[in-house]
Amino acid sequence: QVQLVESGGGLVQAGGSLRLSCAASGSIFRINVMGWYRQAPGMQRELVATITKGDTTNYADSVKGRFTISRDNAKNAIYLQMNSLKPEDTAVYYCNALDRFAPGVAYWGQGTQVTVSS
């Protein structure tokens, strides 16, 4: 069992910043790659950023240069620093983790709302 809990969402004006956190608990040893996804109303859930156990990162083109994903293994947590926020960044942001023993198994948090006003 792996549980993920996101926090840090909120309302911010365009150009502002937010820092999202994801705390993992349970069978932490099973976690492989972790990442952030987001979903706006009426749209598909999309990948935002991922980070491997070896600190290799990947970003969606829409956030590259503005968002930074990081992790703290001692705290079993990952973060998403979001700068220069745009209204199109408005979405529910979800934390995700893949099981290193079962590639088809994924864990999800409950999501945290990010709203960026014009």
Side-chain angles (χ1 to χ4, degrees):
Q1 296 271 54
V2 173
Q3 295 81 43
L4 304 173
V5 179
E6 304 96 333
S7 62
L11 174 64
V12 65
Q13 294 191 91
S17 298
L18 284 173
R19 181 178 171 86
L20 305 184
S21 298
C22 173
S25 61
S27 302
I28 304 300
F29 68 93
R30 301 193 68 91
I31 294 176
N32 189 9
V33 176
M34 295 188 71
W36 291 94
Y37 287 72
R38 67 186 183 186
Q39 186 170 23
M43 300 187 69
Q44 298 269 44
R45 187 172 298 187
E46 65 175 353
L47 177 68
V48 176
T50 62
I51 185 166
T52 69
K53 296 176 71 175
D55 275 334
T56 299
T57 59
N58 289 102
Y59 297 90
D61 288 342
S62 59
V63 307
K64 206 163 192 174
R66 300 188 296 120
F67 292 9
T68 302
I69 188 171
S70 61
R71 79 175 200 273
D72 185 338
N73 289 329
K75 296 182 178 180
N76 300 133
I78 64 166
Y79 308 93
L80 186 68
Q81 179 66 45
M82 305 185 294
N83 298 326
S84 301
L85 282 162
K86 306 174 181 179
E88 51 262 44
D89 294 319
T90 295
V92 177
Y93 284 70
Y94 296 91
C95 184
N96 166 268
L98 300 183
D99 193 304
R100 71 186 181 107
F101 301 114
V105 175
Y107 308 99
W108 295 92
Q110 83 289 344
T112 185
Q113 177 71 48
V114 172
T115 302
V116 184
S117 62
S118 300

